[in-house]
Amino acid sequence: MYLIRVEGDKMSKDLDTLLREKRIFKPSSDVVKSSNIHKWMEKHEINDYDELLQKALDNPDWFWDELAGELEWFKQYKKTKKWNPPYAEWFLDGKFNIVYNALDKHAKGPEKDKLAYIWEGESGEVRELTYLDLYREVNRFANVLKKLGVRKGDTVSIYLPMILELPIAMLACAKIGAVHSVVFSGFWAKAFQERINDAKSKVAITVDGFRRRGKLIELKENVDNILDKTPTIEKLIVVRHEGLNINMQEGKDIWWHEAITEMETECKTEEMDSEDPLFILYTSGTTGKPKGVVHVHGGYAVGIYTTLKFVFDLKEDDVWWCAADIGWVTGHSYIVYGPLLLGVTSILYEGTPDYPDPGRLWKMIENYGVTVFYTAPTTIRMFMKFGEKWPQKYNLDSLRLLGTVGEPINPEAWIWYHQHIGGGRCPVMDTWWQTETGMHIITPLPISELKPGSAVKPFPTVEADVLDDAGKSITGGGGHLVIKSTWPSMFRTLYKDPERYVESYWSRFPNIYLSGDVARRDDEGYFWIQGREDDVLNVAGHRISTAEVESAIVSHKSVAEAAVVGKPHDIKGEEICAFVILKEGSGSTEDFEDIIKYHVRKEIGPIASPAHVKIVKDLPKTRSGKIMRRVIKAKVKGEPVGDTSTLANPEAVEYL
Ligand code: 6R9
């Protein structure tokens, strides 16, 4: 059982306190006692959460040494870290390869016949790989890469949908010391072109085609259109997934299945330096050229291993499903590397969550007995819109823990998730982190008391803070969310752009990491993320966060999702425009404008009440489910919407 403590009114009503939710969810003693973190604390004679956080802050190297010791090093590192802000090095002089720990170790151990991945295609087709199978596939493909001349330090560009060849390709690169650069398959081929050229890859990997909502996307054909603008590419490896009859260019294009046939199922795992690069992942950034975030073998491995073990509490028998795309950092850390480091079984799903109907995810949870499930608030809000009748059709009793990532989760969506998916018994881990951080940074643990809408507290050893413009630490009001310490899976630089690394992240407050998010910390030390700094509204001199207003709107029983942006106003500075998606079956949308305005007035106050409300069918979102307020804002201001190549649903722009 999961206990609920309610203090006072459901919510305070004044502007500054909307997100000080008063509902508190306490984990049951079963959840606490069986958790990995609790057992670890017992071993180290730590009595409670506060003591854990304090002890870790006082002695971060002790904490990380303990966990790094659970992984295998070819050569033991000499020093835990060197922190010369803004430059960090971890596990210095160690020899290590993340793939040895993710794969080789398991393929040689008793868990070799355990399933590493259960893959399900959108059409319902299933493919399973044990740890040994995966090891062999990775080795064969690594041998292909070597044969094509890929060497340690070279960058391989990968443009694949959610099929097993994607983790196989990534692991094969890492195994031989090459650096992978995965480009999300939903992006336009132009994004692939730019990233190939940035990294000067000789080898690229793609697929003949794949389906989304039944619709065929002919990726290879799109790639053909950009290949004459990628001069460094010598070979393009093509996975046959849909069996399309495509044009293969003699001498350049190679079928994956043909290339691997003659390859050995053994391949040497390169002994890397802890600080050698593992991958580049481009993060869109709101303006300008995408930033190539660089992660390394050693520290990255230790960071994601530890967070997955402690936050999502994964144990031997768990069936883990991180329902993100691998083209996003969430997939890199928590579909590919993290779960393999822990040796658990993961689900990999190719398709759309509501295809062919809104029961798809719940049906898969029932079929595979998923125990821990991780998704984005946008997905939860979408399912709220379809109604609880869909999850109710399936038996979700196997679930024991839930998670969210990507955006602030509105308290109402949190409650819905907890109740209708988690059956009221599964703690919800609202994990705040970024491509740059590599791992969870502000997050609950299964032993934490939870407040819906709060990402709770910094992970052990992480020193996060909220600063005002002058750099003073504040409690209560909104401010810059920063990190004052280093952590092992911190990005090391921006690819080929070391100046931008310093400028974008470490200059606003010298030697302090600026996340670019606005957050508030309450007097119990809980963090409430309020969105990106660029999105904060300024109405008549009041700074109002988009998350606050959106959460107030979503707390109306007929609302599924909302996005608010500011529109320039002569007197007020900005006025609030709200775009609202209603739940299915909410009836007439007449008068809704006034109903919403009144509702926000009542929940927060007149200052936050939108000047304009529009009911829409869809909102423009990135592929990782983040609402693209920049695009909405441009529409509202009547300006060109700019680059929409990273949008998942460009047609949504029209609905606005
Ligand atoms: C992992 C990931 C990072 C941005 C981040 C923030 C938002 C992520 C969140 C969250 C509130 C959470 N974000 N998790 N906001 N609560 N639990 O999403 O990486 O794609 O780099 O985005 O996402 O705004 O700054 P990335």
Side-chain angles (χ1 to χ4, degrees), residues 65-236:
D65 274 337
E66 283 288 325
L67 286 136
E70 295 183 14
L71 298 178
E72 289 187 32
W73 300 77
F74 298 126
K75 189 182 130 217
Q76 178 60 30
Y77 56 88
K78 294 215 181 88
K79 199 171 168 199
T80 310
K81 70 164 188 267
K82 192 162 126 199
W83 176 222
N84 181 16
Y87 305 107
E89 287 171 76
W90 281 82
F91 310 115
L92 288 85
D93 294 321
K95 290 284 179 202
F96 183 87
N97 191 312
I98 194 167
V99 179
Y100 183 84
N101 282 278
L103 215 48
D104 303 8
K105 191 166 93 180
H106 305 306
K108 304 211 151 80
E111 65 276 34
K112 69 180 190 330
D113 294 324
K114 181 175 178 178
L115 290 181
Y117 288 117
I118 304 172
W119 174 85
E120 188 170 307
E122 195 173 75
S123 63
E125 185 195 341
V126 177
R127 237 181 111 189
E128 296 177 339
L129 288 183
T130 63
Y131 273 89
L132 183 60
D133 296 333
L134 182 63
Y135 170 80
R136 290 182 168 149
E137 293 302 322
V138 167
N139 287 342
R140 289 163 89 190
F141 192 64
N143 286 325
V144 171
L145 292 175
K146 275 170 108 170
K147 196 178 155 198
L148 295 178
V150 177
R151 297 281 172 266
K152 186 172 171 177
D154 289 349
T155 302
V156 175
S157 295
I158 307 177
Y159 191 35
L160 288 174
M162 288 285 284
I163 55 177
L164 286 164
E165 285 79 0
L166 177 49
I168 292 170
M170 293 163 71
L171 293 159
C173 289
K175 177 150 202 165
I176 61 169
V179 177
H180 56 73
S181 163
V182 174
V183 180
F184 180 63
S185 62
F187 288 169
W188 292 358
K190 191 149 187 310
F192 190 43
Q193 174 195 321
E194 284 166 2
R195 287 154 178 72
I196 289 174
N197 289 340
D198 199 38
K200 304 223 177 330
S201 306
K202 284 183 289 191
V203 173
I205 307 166
T206 191
V207 70
D208 56 349
F210 65 101
R211 285 177 196 278
R212 291 231 34 118
R213 290 181 191 282
K215 186 173 164 268
L216 187 64
I217 292 147
E218 299 182 56
L219 211 62
K220 166 69 165 70
E221 201 179 301
N222 299 346
V223 172
D224 284 343
N225 293 330
I226 56 115
L227 273 191
D228 56 336
K229 295 174 213 86
T230 54
T232 55
I233 292 291
E234 292 164 14
K235 300 285 175 197
L236 176 69

Side-chain angles (χ1 to χ4, degrees), residues 525-589:
Y526 278 58
F527 284 72
W528 303 82
I529 316 298
Q530 306 190 297
R532 301 292 299 163
E533 297 211 358
D534 309 339
D535 291 337
V536 168
L537 307 158
N538 192 337
V539 183
H542 293 270
R543 295 207 333 160
I544 303 174
S545 83
T546 49
E548 276 177 323
V549 182
E550 288 163 6
S551 287
I553 298 174
V554 173
S555 74
H556 189 280
K557 64 181 190 313
S558 301
V559 174
E561 186 146 29
V564 303
V565 297
K567 180 180 176 184
H569 185 272
D570 288 347
I571 299 157
K572 289 194 270 185
E574 272 184 322
E575 54 182 12
I576 301 177
C577 302
F579 295 83
V580 178
I581 303 178
L582 297 180
K583 285 186 186 159
E584 273 185 2
S586 300
S588 151
T589 58

